[in-house]
Amino acid sequence: MDEKTLKALCEPKRFYLLRLMAERSYCVRALAVKSELSESAVSQHLKVMREAGLVYGVKKGYYTHYCLDKAVLGEIINELSVIIDTQRKPCDGPFYGCPESEYVKCKSYVPPENRKDYKEKE
């Protein structure tokens, strides 16, 4: 998943437009009416979504109807599923996976002489 895709998905209005297009294809004017946005705003949102590959246009006479590319959306869902399914590794070692120099700066830093007492309190 690239930056364009994340940018396209993070805007609530674009996400709403995607939800509308999941049901059926729409022209810019219909999307504007349904979403209560101006046609130019819808066009700008569609441009971002087209560049991300989330939607595509189909010319129907004078108008272009925009459709959600569910295959691309499925790929995004698969990528996110990998993150969800990843097993968390327990923190281990004296600095819980962090370099000592960074761990010392951390607000949760417990000096070495206090670590045994700290573990007993948990």
Side-chain angles (χ1 to χ4, degrees), residues 25-32 39 43 46 56-67:
S25 63
Y26 287 97
C27 66
V28 173
R29 182 171 289 155
L31 283 170
E39 288 183 35
S43 292
L46 287 170
Y56 59 92
V58 176
K59 195 79 167 158
K60 291 185 179 181
Y62 181 74
Y63 297 99
T64 300
H65 286 246
Y66 291 91
C67 307

Side-chain angles (χ1 to χ4, degrees), residues 91-112 115 118-119 122:
C91 294
D92 57 355
F95 304 108
Y96 303 101
C98 300
E100 182 178 7
S101 60
E102 293 300 315
Y103 190 77
V104 171
K105 297 176 195 174
C106 183
K107 290 180 182 177
S108 63
Y109 175 69
V110 177
R115 286 190 193 142
Y118 181 75
K119 287 184 181 179
E122 289 183 357

Side-chain angles (χ1 to χ4, degrees), residues 11-116:
E11 166 61 46
K13 291 172 186 161
R14 283 194 283 268
F15 195 78
Y16 179 70
L17 292 173
L18 287 174
R19 290 183 61 190
L20 287 175
M21 289 182 284
E23 298 170 4
R24 61 183 295 256
S25 63
Y26 287 97
C27 66
V28 173
R29 182 171 289 155
L31 283 170
V33 170
K34 283 250 187 212
S35 65
E36 298 179 355
L37 296 170
S38 68
E39 288 183 35
S40 61
V42 169
S43 292
Q44 290 300 311
H45 287 305
L46 287 170
K47 178 184 177 199
V48 172
M49 292 186 287
R50 267 193 331 268
E51 289 174 355
L54 294 170
V55 299
Y56 59 92
V58 176
K59 195 79 167 158
K60 291 185 179 181
Y62 181 74
Y63 297 99
T64 300
H65 286 246
Y66 291 91
C67 307
L68 173 63
D69 191 336
K70 291 187 178 185
V72 171
L73 195 59
E75 291 172 16
I76 293 166
I77 291 168
N78 288 337
E79 286 185 51
L80 293 172
S81 295
V82 169
I83 295 170
I84 291 170
D85 296 336
T86 301
Q87 295 294 318
R88 290 189 70 189
K89 296 178 183 176
C91 294
D92 57 355
F95 304 108
Y96 303 101
C98 300
E100 182 178 7
S101 60
E102 293 300 315
Y103 190 77
V104 171
K105 297 176 195 174
C106 183
K107 290 180 182 177
S108 63
Y109 175 69
V110 177
E113 60 273 7
N114 295 340
R115 286 190 193 142
K116 186 174 183 182

Side-chain angles (χ1 to χ4, degrees), residues 3-17:
E3 186 178 330
K4 287 181 181 182
T5 305
L6 292 171
K7 181 180 177 184
L9 291 172
C10 74
E11 166 61 46
K13 291 172 186 161
R14 283 194 283 268
F15 195 78
Y16 179 70
L17 292 173

